[in-house]
Amino acid sequence: MSDTLLAVTNLTMRFGGLTAVNALSFDAKRGNITAVIGPNGAGKTTVFNCITGFYKPTSGNIAIAHTPGTSLLLDKLPGHAITKKGRVARTFQNIRLFGGMTVLENLLVAQHNELQAATGFGVLAILGLGKYRAAEKAAIERAKYWLDATSLIDRADDPAASLPYGAQRRLEIARAMCTNPVLLCLDEPAAGLNPRESQALNELLLKIRADGCSLLLIEHDMGVVMKISDHIIVLDHGKKIADGTPAEIRSNPTVIAAYLGEGDDDDPDAPIAETLAAAQ
Amino acid sequence: MKHLVANIKDSLIVGGVAFLLFGPFLGLKLNDGVKGDLTLATRPVLLAIAVGLTIVARFLLLLWQDHRATRLPAAKLATSVAKSGKYIAPVLLVFAIGLPLVPGIDNSYIDLGVLVMTYVMLGWGLNIVVGLAGLLDLGYVAFYAVGAYSFALLSHYYNLTFWECLPLCGILAACWGIFLGFPVLRLRGDYLAIVTLAFGEIIRLVITNWVSLTGGPNGIYDIPHPTLFGLTFNMAGGPGTVSDFFHIDPDPSQRTTYLYYIILALALLTNWVTLRLRRQPLGRAWEALREDEIACRSLGINLRNTKLTAFAIGAMFGGFAGCFFATRQAFISPDSFTFIESATVLAIVVLGGAGSQLGVALAAMVMIGVPALLQDLQIYRMLIFGIALVTIMVVRPRGFISTRKPSVSLGKVKIITSDMISEGHG
Amino acid sequence: MAYALQQLVNGITLGMIYGLIAVGYTMVYGIIGMINFAHGDVFMVGAFVGIIVLTALTGVTSVPMGILAALLLSAGVCALYGFSIERVAYRPLRGSFRLAPLISAIGMSILLENYVQTSQGALERAIPVTVPGGIQLMNENGFVVQLSWMQIAIVVVTLVTLAIFTYIVTKTPLGRSMRAVEQDAKMAALLGIDTNRTISYTFIIGSALAAVAGVMFLLYYGVIDFYIGFNAGIKAFTAAVLGGIGSLPGAVLGGLLIGLIEAFWSGYATVAYKDVAVYSILAIVLMFMPTGLLGRNDVEKV
């Protein structure tokens, strides 16, 4: 249950003179929900972008162990292979759906690589030959499974852009899950959700974990983080300042200082700090 | 009443602006003087007519705008057009197939059909790149030129026939599509447009200046016409000709009709491949690419391959069309492959509604067929074309058919309206 | 050496003209993010207004006065053209489908070319050399390096025009609102800047500059036709991109570089392929240095 799935070692990311992430190391365990929290500008999204291949780290390693004992370096893979070979999927802070395509099409695009392999370089499928028909059927079945799980099945034939905000968040998660990942990275999945939607999201994330996919999430909503995380990593100014279970983090004086200490009065993180303080 | 006064005032101001704009060009005329110098003539009547027309047009436009609130909303209209597409498409197809068979039809109309169909095919080919993959290509004529010159050169130097060259031209154009696509993979939007434009111009300039190979501005003559299972079309008749074999009188319309069906078949092939691909992972990946490149990457889609296949397949159909163009004209020169051609084909795609096969076909008929029918207005043809481009864009920025039909559905297919669809960044 | 010097002189003159056109491209691109495809044709319209004014004034006024009148009238007429083009073809499409303004601009370009062609004829129009003579810079074994009065005039007029333009952009309230709209049009509107008016002024100023360039081109080459806008337009756009699109000093720098490259390429390589050289530079710059020499880095946030 608790072997390491993702190992980040000495990750450093510089943009010109700015060091966004500085010699960061942490592990995410298989079957866990690992949360990365920290004040705005702490470097959380940068870490995500490094893990999912959108940025090339300045130095350091990111290794994933699909089965215990193996290791695959994500930072050596080209961007698009992270999903394919690395089996790491992600969502975005500002939702990125294919708005003009239907919900179902969004989920089929997510299964592009498997489907494309069944088309015989496109030629056989154009001629209606080969095993493409069966592959597409299987892909639709998988899409249906995640549509059920995200309660979007009734909207399957609607364009993604027409969905309400909360449903778009869920669709993005469903789409990421259709790539069949071992690790799902969620960038602020609860942002902008109302309490009821937030609750539904918690259940969805727990279901994903129960299905055998580990999760890594960035989140500001402490209600979500504290309730469902198995492990929390706290970043500040690109460095890890704490690491532990929700209970440990809640009572960690460094963390409280990071959230309360240097913040201005109009610090956007203030509500989080209050939540944190209240939770304590 | 007050409104009317305001409208009149507005129209008169516009008339004043028109007077200043048209004054130097319509009111005055440069002529060559006797001593090789220039002289100026005045044309007050022409200027007065132009300004007067502008005032009237402006006034009518204002009136129309006042009444527009009560009109059918554009979105509703678009959906109804798209819905009727189910019926329009088969009707058009029957019309296209039957056109040369209409008894007593004049050869020039079949010839016009060949021209329109060539642009339909080019439009469908470019539609893959622009409409589906969202990659803005302003140099599509390059592939048309590659196809045409490949056939012309292969037949000139190696005596290859049209049917032998057709696949080769497609393959060569596709290779050029990949070759020119590679460097522009990272570019987006207008930058991509301008680089593709530059590539198109470079290819034309190289063709123009490489006189020893291509004949330069003089072009290449005597490109063979296509044969029908080895039979040629010859006005003189004689052994080995179609007229001799079938014991009919030679007639120029026989060759035109044959050419017409070749280009019709090629265009329908383009359409068929596109429609099949749209329902496949590759086609969906293209559309996803148009919607959001970063999301595509996060789903493990290889952007490079996806873009290159779009460029290559689009270019391949351009190459086929070019090969056909060469065999139809029997003569090609760099003049046929200017930027205006690229702009025309792109305009057809955008006017039709990027991504819509039926829309592109309709746009090609309107943009190519109508001006060609206005023979009397030949010198104003391009002027009208320019005005039409601006007007249609202002009235319908997303083209005739801007809706999208999903490629797959669980239940009943619902047409997606244009406000949902993004136009791509590339 | 002398030959190179002559190419340098020619290149700088040509570069000044390209720079003036490039400023118009870069301003419009910076402020509404579109390639104003018709800009090259506004340049052509400017050259034609110039030739019409010069023809009308031949023998009526002195040559310098005639040139001044041509510059001012051409700038005025083209400013009106720029304003009208934006109102008719671009403003209704602002914020709409991204391909629409591009097609509209291409349509406007075709329209202008054919409007001038049908109204003034398709023939090349030539004027006699208006200002003959010049300074002899150098004489190397009989090869005379000539700096003509015309070239000096072109450089001076360009520098004066650019100085006025720089003053407008950096020192006046209009320039401030232009820069504000360029940074963030929505925010500028919220702060009470009339964005429509600002964009109109951008087109007016850009077109006036193109008109000055058009008259300069006419005086320098002496021959124009309705099609000069296309080539000059693409070269000026290349200049804008090379300098870094959105950057005004970049546009002038890019123009100079393109002018020099063209002059030296024609002088030392082949004249036939000089346009190929410029187009290749355009492609290479965009591929490897999309922000140009002085452009800003624009990174899309994930």
Side-chain angles (χ1 to χ4, degrees):
Chain A
M1 175 71 194
S2 63
D3 61 318
T4 300
L5 175 69
L6 181 82
V8 174
T9 326
N10 271 321
L11 180 73
T12 300
M13 183 73 214
R14 286 196 198 92
F15 299 100
L18 177 84
T19 306
V21 179
N22 193 0
L24 174 71
S25 300
F26 70 88
D27 289 346
K29 303 269 184 261
R30 193 184 308 279
N32 269 5
I33 296 181
T34 309
V36 179
I37 64 170
N40 280 349
K44 303 181 296 286
T45 300
T46 308
V47 172
F48 255 46
N49 284 341
C50 288
I51 293 172
T52 52
F54 280 88
Y55 294 157
K56 205 111 204 112
T58 315
S59 64
N61 290 126
I62 302 159
I64 192 157
H66 288 150
T67 52
T70 63
S71 169
L72 179 69
L73 287 177
L74 292 182
D75 50 301
K76 297 286 182 289
L77 291 177
H80 63 87
I82 303 256
T83 316
K84 202 168 150 184
K85 288 214 190 79
R87 296 184 65 195
V88 175
R90 73 168 292 174
T91 64
F92 295 89
Q93 196 172 339
N94 43 342
I95 304 174
R96 285 182 174 276
L97 290 170
F98 307 123
M101 303 175 84
T102 65
V103 168
L104 180 63
E105 284 179 309
N106 267 270
L107 300 190
L108 290 185
V109 170
Q111 303 178 59
H112 174 81
N113 287 315
E114 283 163 62
L115 283 172
Q116 183 65 19
T119 60
F121 294 108
V123 179
L124 289 180
I126 288 184
L127 301 172
L129 303 169
K131 50 191 175 21
Y132 176 66
R133 205 174 287 254
E136 192 179 53
K137 202 170 250 174
I140 291 177
E141 283 310 312
R142 189 195 286 172
K144 273 188 186 163
Y145 175 81
W146 285 109
L147 287 176
D148 272 328
T150 50
S151 27
L152 287 170
I153 193 84
D154 299 334
R155 306 294 304 263
D157 294 331
D158 288 325
S162 71
L163 298 184
Y165 187 80
Q168 293 198 5
R169 283 254 172 238
R170 294 203 302 280
L171 175 57
E172 209 187 14
I173 294 173
R175 189 181 67 180
M177 287 313 294
C178 277
T179 64
N180 200 15
V182 293
L183 177 69
L184 175 64
C185 299
L186 301 166
D187 198 344
E188 301 204 19
L193 299 189
N194 64 32
R196 217 178 43 162
E197 288 172 326
S198 194
Q199 181 56 37
L201 176 77
N202 282 359
E203 283 159 23
L204 175 63
L205 297 188
L206 291 173
K207 176 185 163 51
I208 290 172
R209 184 180 68 173
D211 277 12
C213 178
S214 314
L215 289 102
L216 186 67
L217 76 141
I218 296 177
E219 190 47 73
H220 275 312
D221 185 340
M222 288 302 144
V224 174
V225 171
M226 293 298 166
K227 240 184 253 165
I228 65 167
S229 303
D230 300 304
H231 194 84
I232 297 178
I233 291 142
V234 189
L235 295 189
D236 192 23
H237 293 105
K239 284 186 179 155
K240 185 168 83 175
I241 57 170
D243 188 344
T245 61
E248 288 165 5
I249 296 300
R250 210 173 288 165
S251 55
N252 186 320
T254 332
V255 177
I256 296 167
Y259 271 110
L260 292 177
E262 300 154 19
D264 305 329
D265 284 343
D266 57 353
D267 187 341
D269 287 321
I272 304 168
E274 276 157 30
T275 328
L276 206 65
Q280 197 189 17
Chain B
M1 196 60 213
K2 208 171 150 197
H3 210 58
L4 191 70
V5 174
N7 280 356
I8 291 174
K9 204 174 146 197
D10 182 300
S11 307
L12 289 178
I13 293 173
V14 170
V17 173
F19 176 77
L20 293 173
L21 290 181
F22 295 148
F25 290 93
L26 299 183
L28 300 170
K29 169 87 170 77
L30 285 168
N31 287 319
D32 289 318
V34 273
K35 300 192 297 276
D37 56 348
L38 289 170
T39 58
L40 270 183
T42 53
R43 291 185 289 200
V45 179
L46 181 64
L47 180 61
I49 292 173
V51 173
L53 282 179
T54 311
I55 294 173
V56 172
R58 174 69 187 173
F59 185 72
L60 292 177
L61 179 73
L62 288 173
L63 276 187
W64 182 73
Q65 276 175 349
D66 290 346
H67 286 276
R68 196 166 53 172
T70 56
R71 283 174 56 94
L72 191 67
K76 218 171 187 173
L77 194 75
T79 332
S80 62
V81 170
K83 269 190 189 144
S84 55
K86 225 166 35 186
Y87 309 104
I88 294 175
V91 170
L92 278 182
L93 183 65
V94 169
F95 173 73
I97 292 172
L99 177 75
L101 306 177
V102 175
I105 188 167
D106 194 81
N107 192 23
S108 66
Y109 287 106
I110 308 177
D111 205 42
L112 177 61
V114 173
L115 182 72
V116 170
M117 207 50 86
T118 310
Y119 280 93
V120 170
M121 174 162 181
L122 285 171
W124 278 341
L126 184 62
N127 199 19
I128 294 174
V129 184
V130 176
L132 293 184
L135 300 162
L136 189 44
D137 188 344
L138 266 182
Y140 192 61
V141 74
F143 309 119
Y144 192 45
V146 165
Y149 269 89
S150 300
F151 172 47
L153 294 173
L154 285 170
S155 70
H156 185 79
Y157 288 106
Y158 300 103
N159 286 320
L160 294 185
T161 64
F162 172 73
W163 291 110
E164 287 161 347
C165 285
L166 186 64
L168 284 177
C169 289
I171 292 167
L172 283 169
C175 291
W176 275 92
I178 293 172
F179 177 67
L180 296 182
F182 238 105
V184 299
L185 286 174
R186 287 191 314 166
L187 297 178
R188 337 182 98 219
D190 293 350
Y191 276 14
L192 177 65
I194 213 83
V195 171
T196 48
L197 187 161
F199 283 157
E201 284 295 292
I202 289 174
I203 289 197
R204 184 178 64 83
L205 287 167
V206 169
I207 290 173
T208 312
N209 287 305
W210 194 347
V211 179
S212 60
L213 179 74
T214 64
N218 297 328
I220 301 176
Y221 291 90
D222 293 333
I223 302 165
H225 285 296
T227 55
L228 180 66
F229 299 108
L231 301 172
T232 60
F233 291 87
N234 195 321
M235 280 316 96
T241 64
V242 171
S243 47
D244 179 63
F245 188 81
F246 293 106
H247 304 292
I248 46 176
D249 291 331
D251 186 284
S253 70
Q254 288 157 4
R255 180 196 286 155
T256 320
T257 308
Y258 183 49
L259 285 172
Y260 179 83
Y261 281 114
I262 291 176
I263 187 66
L264 180 65
L266 284 173
L268 290 178
L269 174 76
T270 314
N271 184 36
W272 183 70
V273 169
T274 310
L275 290 179
R276 293 298 291 231
L277 279 176
R278 257 204 79 208
R279 296 164 163 277
Q280 279 196 26
L282 186 58
R284 278 191 212 116
W286 286 339
E287 293 203 75
L289 190 70
R290 179 191 68 205
E291 296 279 333
D292 192 325
E293 207 172 306
I294 288 178
C296 273
R297 194 175 143 184
S298 83
L299 297 173
I301 293 172
N302 187 329
L303 297 182
R304 184 192 63 206
N305 292 358
T306 309
K307 284 185 181 180
L308 287 182
T309 44
F311 278 126
I313 294 176
M316 179 180 77
F317 290 120
F320 287 150
C323 183
F324 174 80
F325 176 76
T327 197
R328 176 199 169 210
Q329 301 287 79
F331 159 72
I332 53 168
S333 77
D335 288 345
S336 306
F337 308 103
T338 56
F339 166 70
I340 284 292
E341 291 298 311
S342 291
T344 307
V345 179
L346 181 68
I348 285 171
V349 172
V350 177
L351 291 184
S356 161
Q357 296 291 94
L358 176 62
V360 168
L362 289 174
M365 290 167 65
V366 172
M367 299 308 289
I368 304 300
V370 173
L373 287 174
L374 303 171
Q375 282 298 340
D376 301 340
L377 300 172
Q378 201 54 35
I379 52 165
Y380 301 112
R381 200 177 70 86
M382 287 313 286
L383 185 66
I384 295 169
F385 184 74
I387 295 173
L389 277 190
V390 176
T391 315
I392 300 179
M393 276 300 106
V394 171
V395 177
R396 285 196 69 84
R398 299 209 62 151
F400 296 151
I401 301 180
S402 50
T403 52
R404 175 179 178 272
K405 197 176 162 205
S407 63
V408 61
S409 70
L410 287 184
K412 200 170 160 289
V413 175
K414 297 177 195 163
I415 301 292
I416 299 172
T417 55
S418 62
D419 51 329
M420 304 283 171
I421 304 164
S422 64
E423 61 266 42
H425 308 278
Chain C
M1 180 58 207
Y3 190 61
L5 186 64
Q6 185 67 68
Q7 299 309 329
L8 185 71
V9 169
N10 295 350
I12 288 175
T13 317
L14 195 56
M16 287 286 180
I17 294 173
Y18 290 150
L20 274 179
I21 314 174
V23 168
Y25 275 111
T26 225
M27 275 168 75
V28 169
Y29 195 92
I31 217 157
I32 53 173
M34 72 168 279
I35 297 175
N36 178 11
F37 225 92
H39 190 62
D41 296 292
V42 172
F43 155 83
M44 177 271 297
V45 166
F48 264 89
V49 176
I51 200 170
I52 288 170
V53 173
L54 284 177
T55 310
L57 293 182
T58 307
V60 180
T61 57
S62 65
V63 171
M65 284 311 289
I67 292 177
L68 191 64
L71 281 173
L72 291 178
L73 280 172
S74 175
V77 171
C78 281
L80 203 55
Y81 267 94
F83 170 80
S84 311
I85 290 169
E86 196 267 334
R87 283 299 285 264
V88 171
Y90 304 156
R91 187 173 296 180
L93 295 171
R94 207 175 296 151
S96 131
F97 188 47
R98 192 177 49 88
L99 284 174
L102 184 76
I103 297 294
S104 187
I106 291 174
M108 194 40 96
S109 163
I110 296 174
L111 195 164
L112 285 177
E113 276 169 27
N114 288 280
Y115 160 67
V116 174
Q117 185 195 359
T118 45
S119 65
Q120 296 297 330
L123 296 173
E124 283 192 337
R125 296 292 178 191
I127 52 161
V129 181
T130 38
V131 189
I135 311 172
Q136 192 173 322
L137 282 184
M138 196 172 165
N139 191 334
E140 194 178 271
N141 309 328
F143 184 88
V144 179
V145 180
Q146 179 88 8
L147 177 65
S148 69
W149 297 123
M150 207 61 248
Q151 287 175 319
I152 296 173
I154 288 174
V155 173
V156 170
V157 170
T158 308
L159 291 179
V160 170
T161 314
L162 285 176
I164 297 171
F165 170 72
T166 312
Y167 175 79
I168 292 175
V169 172
T170 54
K171 293 281 181 334
T172 62
L174 171 64
R176 217 165 16 246
S177 41
M178 278 164 70
R179 282 177 289 146
V181 175
E182 191 201 332
Q183 294 280 324
D184 189 336
K186 266 194 199 131
M187 196 62 217
L190 284 175
L191 293 175
I193 292 173
D194 187 341
T195 41
N196 276 339
R197 191 204 249 316
T198 310
I199 291 170
S200 282
Y201 274 116
T202 308
F203 273 85
I204 287 172
I205 295 173
S207 304
L209 294 182
V212 173
V215 177
M216 296 283 127
F217 184 91
L218 168 72
L219 294 174
Y220 188 47
Y221 287 105
V223 180
I224 54 170
D225 62 28
F226 70 95
Y227 202 62
I228 57 169
F230 179 73
N231 242 329
I234 292 193
K235 282 178 191 166
F237 182 76
T238 308
V241 168
L242 181 61
I245 198 136
S247 156
L248 297 174
V252 180
L253 177 68
L256 278 177
L257 285 175
I258 294 294
L260 288 171
I261 289 165
E262 198 179 322
F264 277 93
W265 187 280
S266 310
Y268 288 96
T270 60
V271 179
Y273 283 97
K274 75 177 159 74
D275 289 351
V276 174
V278 174
Y279 293 138
S280 307
I281 288 166
L282 173 65
I284 290 166
V285 170
L286 279 179
M287 281 179 300
F288 297 106
M289 208 172 43
T291 51
L293 295 172
L294 304 178
R296 276 192 307 269
N297 214 346
D298 214 10
V299 182
E300 182 168 13
K301 235 175 122 70
V302 176

